[in-house]
Amino acid sequence: MAAEPLLKIENLVKHFHVRLGAFGERAATVHALDDVSLDIVEGETLSLVGESGCGKSTTGFTILNLHRATSGKVLYKGQDLTALDEKRMRRFRRDLQIVFQDPYSTLNPRMTVGEASGEPILFHNLAPKAELEAKVAALLTDVGLPPRFASRYPHELSGGQRQRVAIARALACQPKFIVCDEAISALDVSIQAQIINLLLDLQEKYRLTYLFIAHDLAVVRHISTRVGVMYLGRLAELASRDALFETPLHPYTKALLSAVPETDPEHERSRKRQILEGDVPSPLAPPSGCRFHTRCPIAMEVCRRVVPKWKEARPGHLVACHAVNGE
Amino acid sequence: MTGKNRLLDVRGLTVEIETRRGPAVIVDGIDLHVDKGETLGVVGESGCGKSLTMLSLMRLLPNKIRVAKGEAHFDGRDLQKMSNRELRKVRGGDIGFVFQDPVTSLNPVMRIGDQLAEPLIYHRGMNRKQARERAIELLRLVGIPGPEERIQAYPHELSGGMRQRVMIAIGLACEPKLLIADEPTTALDVTIQAQIVDLVKGLREKLGMSVVWITHDLALIAGLVDRVVVLYAGTVVEDAPVDALYASPRHPYTRGLLASIPKLSDAPASRLNSIGGTPPEPGRRPQGCPFAPRCPLAMDICRTHVPKLEPVSAAGSHRAACFAVEKALEAA
Ligand SMILES: Nc1ncnc2c1ncn2[C@@H]1O[C@H](COP(=O)(O)OP(=O)(O)OP(=O)(O)O)[C@@H](O)[C@H]1O
Ligand SMILES: Nc1ncnc2c1ncn2[C@@H]1O[C@H](COP(=O)(O)OP(=O)(O)OP(=O)(O)O)[C@@H](O)[C@H]1O
Ligand code: SF4
Ligand code: SF4
Ligand SMILES: [Mg+2]
Ligand SMILES: [Mg+2]
């Protein structure tokens, strides 16, 4: 990548300390994120995919300093965000937004939809008070909600409507970078399409950058510039959209791609999907060496012992696997 | 009453909300039925009333929202007329639930193992130890790694998809006769979705369980359900066996939905199809067909009369509510 990245993530690690046992007598560590490095280029959509619990949300939270990194760096405009306390972080907050995976937990139940989406506009002085109502109305219309919804409370909305309020709130700040954590997964396909189109339009207009976390690979293929595949807290593969979908290199990516459902009942019923044998290992005790070795169809002896290097197998195509040769 | 095989039979269910301008209809007289061992998919646009329909069956509607009309028979008994005590026995026992929002439905200060054990102790008379064993087994079935340890976790220590799977495990805990699942897999990746789908299929075969699966994911349910009901603005606009629905959708709204699905095999394009406009809000629905303002085939009659759900196949198993069904066919 020639362009200077908007965000540079270096060896990011996030461990959670939890207590186990009936009385919480045993301490344990959840390896949610281990040694993740990647550049996010201005104006691109970088998607993160991977099994539930592999650390996608944790990546988003840690980049935005909503979780404190255990180690590693996140560079934004030359500043390491992980070194900032919340007070000094505040001036970056407007630029760096997130649409949370569970909108219900993050919308203030006592704030109307209008207040929730108008608050960032007031807080950051993005419009005079007199124009606020019109701004909020425009935002709501953008996400497919009638402006009248401004007077409703979150509990008076359906699941998908709440998700769209969360999107409107993030867009209200006119940010540079948005983490969209399963931001459209509760929406029906037609509204999903409308929101995707909106995100793409805004990107074109303002050079917005997205970290797009999603499990729907068809949507990911549609929206992404590049795609990163995570497995148990580590990046397994990172490549341009076309390279990832057309010539995946990592055995885990290959398995993931073969599991996508299609709208053909006949085909769906007869299809063999369970290519991945074995359970997902626990992040409390991740496997040694390559974390995928317990389920990898081509695992070798070395995979059990040695962590595969994160290397560029082809130009711009990074992968961590002993069976793939670097260039 | 209908045949012995019918497990759930909902007739003319109407749900209203109190507003300043008087009651507004949200769910408008819908009919739904599920046979024993059958899996029904319910799809429809965000805000069309899917969750409220399901909550009304269990009498869990929020404030200011109530069932104005209609009946809902489960195993021959009217859920709307049961005493609270009887209903508590059914809820979480013979009818398992997966709510759309794990954050509000899981107790944040209770370990997930205890939340799983609760219904087993209450409905199935297990002791603590048995319930704990079963809780671990359930977590394993929904694919949560290290279940012996994870039962100690609090909800906030789990990822979004894990929380969703805990909800599914609670819904399945008592091996219900009917599982009602509201968007149960929105946070799950395809491999785990596939695992959950296989789990539900397995229970259906083993126990003859019936399922109502509310979703917007038309691809996911293609391989799971027997029949699909399409809701729009609180009414049923199409009801069809799953193969017929995908092979020849008849209602213009269903066609619009199917056309909006991005497919992996599609060439990456810059814009996706979407149905223009927004669905009408409760209390502000147009006269006539509720889809008319957005329908590419709308005629004058659509703006004055409400189309009824009519059979469109010889067998009568495929029904649609549209004046232009023949026209829709030609436009295919
Ligand atoms: N407590 C409430 N007060 C007022 N309106 C409400 C309330 N709860 C729901 N609604 C409205 O009722 C309609 C139906 O809501 P419901 O939650 O059933 O939709 P849904 O079909 O489940 O949508 P989604 O797919 O987005 O979850 C929506 O338009 C919603 O805004
Ligand atoms: N606050 C926390 N305390 C302890 N463990 C946590 C915490 N937050 C996340 N984890 C653990 O970290 C791991 C990664 O979680 P994360 O939420 O990042 O997954 P994810 O990839 O977003 O999954 P999903 O697709 O299900 O949302 C999981 O094992 C999770 O249980
Ligand atoms: S490093 Fe070994 S175990 Fe890991 S993905 Fe490659 S071949 Fe499989
Ligand atoms: S009845 Fe008329 S408006 Fe309604 S869906 Fe059919 S053609 Fe469209
Ligand atoms: Mg997540
Ligand atoms: Mg809902």
Side-chain angles (χ1 to χ4, degrees):
Chain A
M1 287 278 150
E4 180 61 15
L6 181 76
L7 280 154
K8 216 171 161 52
I9 292 137
E10 293 177 357
N11 309 100
L12 202 61
V13 175
K14 177 65 192 173
H15 291 168
F16 293 102
H17 300 287
V18 294
R19 305 207 67 86
L20 300 174
F23 306 99
E25 70 278 9
R26 261 185 317 127
T29 303
V30 181
H31 298 250
L33 192 62
D34 259 326
D35 201 15
V36 165
S37 299
L38 63 115
D39 291 350
I40 303 176
V41 182
E42 187 173 4
E44 81 166 333
T45 301
L46 177 67
S47 292
L48 276 186
V49 301
E51 264 164 334
S52 170
C54 71
K56 304 179 295 295
S57 298
T58 304
T59 307
F61 285 178
T62 314
I63 290 176
L64 297 191
N65 214 357
L66 294 165
H67 277 334
R68 299 221 65 102
T70 304
S71 65
K73 283 187 183 154
V74 177
L75 296 169
Y76 177 66
K77 292 188 171 164
Q79 172 70 53
D80 179 8
L81 299 181
T82 64
L84 300 180
D85 57 21
E86 191 44 42
K87 197 158 153 246
R88 285 191 297 154
M89 187 66 206
R90 209 169 294 157
R91 84 189 150 98
F92 296 106
R93 284 268 176 251
R94 187 194 140 194
D95 284 0
L96 311 172
Q97 287 292 312
I98 180 165
V99 181
F100 290 100
Q101 186 167 9
D102 293 309
Y104 203 76
S105 55
T106 51
L107 290 172
N108 181 341
R110 274 183 265 282
M111 252 192 203
T112 62
V113 167
E115 286 161 357
S117 23
E119 187 192 43
I121 301 181
L122 284 182
F123 185 81
H124 298 293
N125 268 322
L126 299 174
K129 234 179 163 155
E131 284 169 29
L132 189 65
E133 202 176 318
K135 279 258 184 240
V136 167
L139 274 171
L140 294 180
T141 310
D142 276 349
V143 295
L145 294 173
R148 221 174 301 111
F149 269 45
S151 60
R152 290 219 192 166
Y153 289 93
H155 75 268
E156 296 175 331
L157 301 177
S158 78
Q161 290 164 347
R162 273 197 296 263
Q163 207 169 37
R164 283 175 280 163
V165 173
I167 295 171
R169 192 180 147 88
L171 293 176
C173 298
Q174 302 171 3
K176 295 238 178 340
F177 172 71
I178 308 181
V179 175
C180 302
D181 192 356
E182 301 281 4
I184 55 168
S185 58
L187 302 178
D188 60 90
V189 283
S190 169
I191 291 173
Q192 220 174 50
Q194 187 185 336
I195 301 273
I196 291 173
N197 291 341
L198 170 71
L199 292 175
L200 292 172
D201 290 346
L202 290 172
Q203 182 164 54
E204 202 169 303
K205 221 155 116 199
Y206 304 111
R207 275 182 76 70
L208 264 174
T209 309
Y210 302 119
L211 181 66
F212 195 83
I213 299 172
H215 64 271
D216 184 333
L217 293 172
V219 168
V220 166
R221 176 162 205 183
H222 201 90
I223 197 170
S224 311
T225 319
R226 290 188 301 154
V227 182
V229 180
M230 288 185 75
Y231 186 79
L232 258 171
R234 287 186 195 274
L235 270 176
E237 185 161 6
L238 176 69
S240 73
R241 182 223 8 233
D242 290 345
L244 193 104
F245 281 97
E246 276 152 35
T247 50
L249 296 174
H250 198 283
Y252 175 63
T253 311
K254 291 180 184 168
L256 200 63
L257 292 182
S258 74
V260 183
E262 291 261 354
T263 44
D264 175 356
E266 188 81 42
H267 176 71
E268 273 302 302
R269 276 190 293 263
S270 59
R271 182 153 76 143
K272 250 205 98 44
R273 236 175 343 203
Q274 220 70 24
I275 318 98
L276 278 184
E277 294 295 327
D279 290 334
V280 185
S282 168
L284 285 163
S288 60
C290 172
R291 290 190 178 174
F292 189 52
H293 84 245
T294 55
R295 299 163 81 198
C296 180
I298 57 165
M300 303 164 288
E301 208 275 315
V302 60
C303 306
R304 257 171 278 274
R305 289 183 288 107
V306 183
V307 179
K309 278 211 191 63
W310 184 231
K311 63 191 170 221
E312 194 161 9
R314 296 180 188 157
H317 194 149
L318 292 117
V319 64
C321 172
H322 291 301
V324 178
N325 291 320
E327 255 183 11
Chain B
M1 269 303 333
T2 19
K4 279 205 177 60
N5 233 352
R6 196 133 290 184
L7 184 66
L8 180 72
D9 199 356
V10 178
R11 302 254 178 116
L13 183 75
T14 304
V15 177
E16 286 182 350
I17 177 162
E18 253 172 65
T19 70
R20 265 171 284 141
R21 287 171 289 117
V25 174
I26 298 183
V27 176
D28 198 358
I30 65 170
D31 296 338
L32 282 180
H33 61 87
V34 185
D35 287 342
K36 288 182 180 147
E38 186 183 36
T39 300
L40 176 70
V42 177
V43 303
E45 194 135 327
S46 171
C48 73
K50 302 181 294 294
S51 297
L52 292 179
T53 298
M54 156 181 132
L55 292 172
S56 68
L57 295 181
M58 283 288 86
R59 306 212 318 240
L60 292 172
L61 285 173
N63 263 343
K64 292 201 258 172
I65 298 184
R66 62 186 188 95
V67 173
K69 277 195 287 236
E71 297 165 19
H73 291 270
F74 172 71
D75 231 357
R77 296 190 296 162
D78 191 342
L79 291 166
Q80 302 298 325
K81 296 211 177 83
M82 277 186 192
S83 70
N84 284 334
R85 215 173 130 250
E86 285 175 298
L87 193 67
R88 262 199 305 277
K89 282 249 150 73
V90 175
R91 228 190 252 154
D94 283 346
I95 303 185
F97 263 86
V98 182
F99 295 97
Q100 184 170 11
D101 207 325
V103 180
T104 40
S105 11
L106 288 173
N107 183 341
V109 296
M110 196 171 166
R111 293 178 195 275
I112 59 163
D114 295 334
Q115 303 195 45
L116 269 162
E118 213 168 49
L120 293 166
I121 295 168
Y122 179 77
H123 292 288
R124 294 293 178 256
M126 288 188 184
N127 63 32
R128 294 233 144 253
K129 186 159 173 295
Q130 292 167 323
R132 193 189 117 95
E133 301 279 289
R134 174 83 178 129
I136 292 173
E137 186 193 335
L138 284 162
L139 288 183
R140 183 171 296 118
L141 284 174
V142 295
I144 292 192
E148 298 82 1
E149 282 162 343
R150 289 293 184 159
I151 57 165
Q152 305 288 348
Y154 291 100
H156 79 271
E157 294 174 337
L158 302 179
S159 77
M162 288 173 179
R163 279 198 287 265
Q164 208 165 39
R165 281 178 283 161
V166 170
M167 298 286 300
I168 296 171
I170 293 175
L172 292 172
C174 295
E175 305 197 321
K177 290 185 183 153
L178 174 66
L179 174 74
I180 303 182
D182 192 358
E183 303 277 10
T185 60
T186 50
L188 303 181
D189 54 274
V190 283
T191 48
I192 292 175
Q193 271 182 0
Q195 188 176 345
I196 299 288
V197 165
D198 287 347
L199 173 65
V200 169
K201 279 184 182 166
L203 287 173
R204 191 173 62 185
E205 259 144 53
K206 187 174 132 212
L207 311 167
M209 180 175 76
S210 308
V211 183
V212 176
W213 193 281
I214 299 172
T215 185
H216 64 269
D217 190 337
L218 288 154
L220 173 77
I221 58 169
L224 172 70
V225 305
D226 303 308
R227 201 154 50 82
V228 182
V229 162
V230 182
L231 295 185
Y232 184 79
T235 62
V236 176
V237 296
E238 187 154 4
D239 176 348
V242 63
D243 301 78
L245 191 91
Y246 293 96
S248 56
R250 306 301 291 273
H251 196 281
Y253 173 64
T254 315
R255 287 164 179 255
L257 268 188
L258 287 167
S260 309
I261 304 176
K263 292 186 192 63
L264 205 52
S265 47
D266 284 348
S270 59
R271 293 185 74 82
L272 290 167
N273 286 321
S274 75
I275 305 170
T278 48
E281 282 171 72
R284 294 177 188 265
R285 288 184 184 147
Q287 215 192 343
C289 172
F291 191 55
R294 306 170 70 190
C295 180
L297 304 175
M299 304 162 284
D300 287 343
I301 184 179
C302 309
R303 298 192 182 89
T304 51
H305 292 74
V306 180
K308 287 208 180 58
L309 196 61
E310 306 270 12
V312 295
S313 68
S317 56
H318 190 164
R319 298 183 300 159
C322 172
F323 292 121
V325 158
E326 290 318 308
K327 224 172 154 185
L329 200 62
E330 288 160 22

